[in-house]
């Protein structure tokens, strides 16, 4: 009897040890999938929901932007991974030349409030990542978008997280979720959060209209030139990319590298903040090569504030998108400017940006209004 008892204890001990070994098994390495559309986010092995946390795989580098794109107040965890021995080439103004095999992910999430309510707050993943992971008891994951560089170009794939927050599944046709946000003052708003379909993902990233070429938007020097907290230690992101072997050609003196303003930092000039906001939210379409090139509106931040920026510029086409206003920007008069009108709209065919939001970015709109109000000069309506 005693021998039998010891035998059972030995068996249970062995099972417990094998269970611990299984729990501590390292994740599979990141998988560059050269073709097709994997059904699950976990097939890429970039991110994994494990033990109540969203964890980054080995070699997956998080990053943030100085001024991020507005997406219905969603927080975003951005990451980049490259195959061993491959690295991006630095560019002063354009998107870095990223090698085949590069996988970029962007996970949209919200801090949790009471019940099903989500919180409308300002933060970034540098502050919310703890030991390289997001705490899923504090945030709700909504979607993760994958942008992968294949031999024939970039492919964009949207994945939607399940209710259990354990897996995200491919949503080629997009999705829609009804969410409720609560701001710092306690005001709530419910809205339809729209996950774009594959074609919509590609259209936003179609930076060259003629060639239909899809590219990333955020991986530019001016957006990345800022510090990020890596495992408790703050370091410039561009320098960190070089150290990790992910970037070549970076100038030794970072002071000479362009740096976009932080739109929230009121110690920085109003114009720099407004131009940075328009750059990340609008300029990937509104430039001479982009999908909105036919408007002759160029919102890139390094150009002089003139007619190409919309100052006293009549619209290319009349219609409800103008709100019966005569010019894109009327210096000193945000209420008479088409830009203010379109930023304040939620109506299809009027609102700008035309994809990626169902709500109005009140703070962003106010920033642009303040900037327009401070612009000198006047428009001559007789020349319209």
């Amino acid at each position: 009897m005693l021998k039998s008892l010891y035998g059972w204890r030995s068996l249970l001990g062995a099972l417990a040890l094998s269970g611990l070994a299984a729990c501590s098994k390292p994740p599979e390495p990141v998988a560059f999938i050269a073709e097709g559309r994997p059904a699950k986010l976990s097939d890429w092995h970039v991110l994994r929901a494990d033990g109540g946390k969203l964890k980054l795989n080995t070699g997956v580098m998080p990053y943030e932007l100085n001024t991020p794109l507005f997406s219905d107040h969603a927080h975003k965890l951005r990451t980049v991974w490259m195959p061993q021995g491959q690295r991006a080439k630095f560019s002063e103004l354009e998107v870095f030349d990223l090698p085949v095999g590069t996988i970029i992910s962007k996970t949209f999430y919200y801090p949790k409030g009471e019940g099903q309510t989500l919180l409308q707050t300002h933060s970034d993943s540098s502050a919310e990542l703890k030991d390289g992971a997001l705490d899923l008891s504090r945030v709700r994951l909504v979607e993760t978008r994958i942008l992968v560089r294949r031999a024939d170009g970039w492919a964009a794939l949207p994945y939607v997280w399940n209710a259990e927050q354990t897996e995200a599944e491919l949503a080629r046709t997009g999705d829609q979720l009804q969410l409720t946000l609560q701001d710092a003052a306690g005001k709530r708003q419910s809205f339809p959060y729209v996950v774009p379909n594959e074609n919509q993902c590609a259209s936003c990233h179609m930076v060259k209209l003629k060639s239909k070429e899809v590219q990333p938007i955020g991986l530019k020097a001016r957006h990345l030139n800022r510090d990020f907290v890596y495992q408790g230690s703050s370091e410039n992101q561009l320098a960190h990319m070089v150290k990790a072997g992910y970037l070549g050609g970076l100038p030794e003196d970072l002071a000479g590298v362009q740096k976009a303003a932080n739109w929230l930092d009121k110690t920085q000039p109003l114009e720099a903040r407004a131009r940075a906001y328009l750059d990340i939210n609008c300029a990937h379409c509104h430039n001479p090569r982009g999908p909105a090139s036919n408007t002759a509106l160029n919102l890139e931040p390094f150009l002089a504030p003139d007619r190409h920026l919309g100052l006293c510029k009549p619209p290319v086409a009349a219609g409800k998108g103008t709100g019966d206003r005569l010019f894109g920007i009327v210096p000193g008069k945000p209420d008479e400017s088409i830009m203010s009108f379109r930023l304040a709209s939620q109506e299809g065919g009027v609102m700008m940006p035309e994809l990626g939001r169902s709500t109005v970015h009140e703070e962003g709109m106010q920033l642009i209004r303040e900037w327009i109000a401070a612009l000198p000069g006047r428009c001559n309506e007789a020349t319209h």
Side-chain angles (χ1 to χ4, degrees), residues 46-50 53-62 77-79 125-135 228-233:
V46 170
L47 308 163
R48 72 185 189 281
D50 180 25
K53 297 182 184 297
L54 183 67
K55 299 179 179 179
L56 280 58
N57 207 342
T58 302
V60 175
M61 182 183 299
L77 170 59
R78 301 170 178 83
T79 74
S125 59
S126 177
E128 293 170 330
L129 277 177
K130 304 298 182 184
D131 296 323
L134 281 178
D135 185 349
F228 192 97
V229 179
Y230 301 96
Q231 301 292 332
S233 179

Side-chain angles (χ1 to χ4, degrees), residues 65-215:
L65 309 184
N66 280 308
T67 289
L69 175 74
F70 173 72
S71 306
D72 288 329
H73 301 282
H75 295 208
K76 299 166 190 173
L77 170 59
R78 301 170 178 83
T79 74
V80 61
W81 175 90
M82 297 176 205
Q84 188 173 4
Q86 300 293 314
R87 63 180 182 175
K89 295 178 183 178
F90 175 83
S91 171
E92 183 179 1
L93 298 178
E94 302 300 328
V95 175
F96 296 159
D97 184 5
L98 295 149
V100 171
T102 299
I103 302 172
I104 298 169
S105 78
K106 184 161 62 172
T107 298
F108 296 68
Y109 64 95
Y110 292 91
K112 291 180 179 178
E114 295 182 2
Q116 298 298 312
T117 301
L118 305 172
L119 301 180
Q120 179 181 316
T121 63
H122 294 297
S123 185
D124 63 40
S125 59
S126 177
E128 293 170 330
L129 277 177
K130 304 298 182 184
D131 296 323
L134 281 178
D135 185 349
L136 297 183
S137 69
R138 302 175 64 88
V139 303
R140 175 183 170 182
L141 306 176
V142 180
E143 58 163 321
T144 295
R145 301 177 192 174
I146 291 289
L147 198 60
V148 56
R149 177 74 186 272
R150 290 168 166 167
D152 58 352
W154 290 92
L157 301 168
Y159 292 84
V160 176
W161 284 89
N162 60 19
E164 296 76 23
Q165 302 282 269
T166 55
E167 179 65 273
E169 298 184 357
L170 183 65
R172 292 187 60 189
T173 58
D175 202 352
Q176 184 169 303
L177 302 85
Q178 195 68 27
L179 301 181
T180 300
L181 282 180
Q182 178 177 304
D183 65 17
K187 181 181 177 181
R188 297 187 180 191
Q189 66 169 324
S190 294
F191 69 98
Y193 180 100
V194 178
V195 178
N197 60 44
E198 276 188 32
N199 292 333
Q200 289 171 322
C201 285
S203 68
C204 276
H205 287 272
M206 192 183 296
V207 296
K208 295 182 180 179
L209 182 61
K210 287 186 177 180
S211 64
K212 308 297 183 184
E213 183 180 346
V214 172
Q215 282 188 355

Side-chain angles (χ1 to χ4, degrees), residues 321-341:
T322 68
D324 295 323
R325 290 154 175 81
L326 298 179
F327 303 107
I329 294 175
V330 181
K333 299 180 179 180
D335 287 333
E336 296 180 18
S337 301
I338 295 172
M339 182 177 287
S340 300
F341 171 70

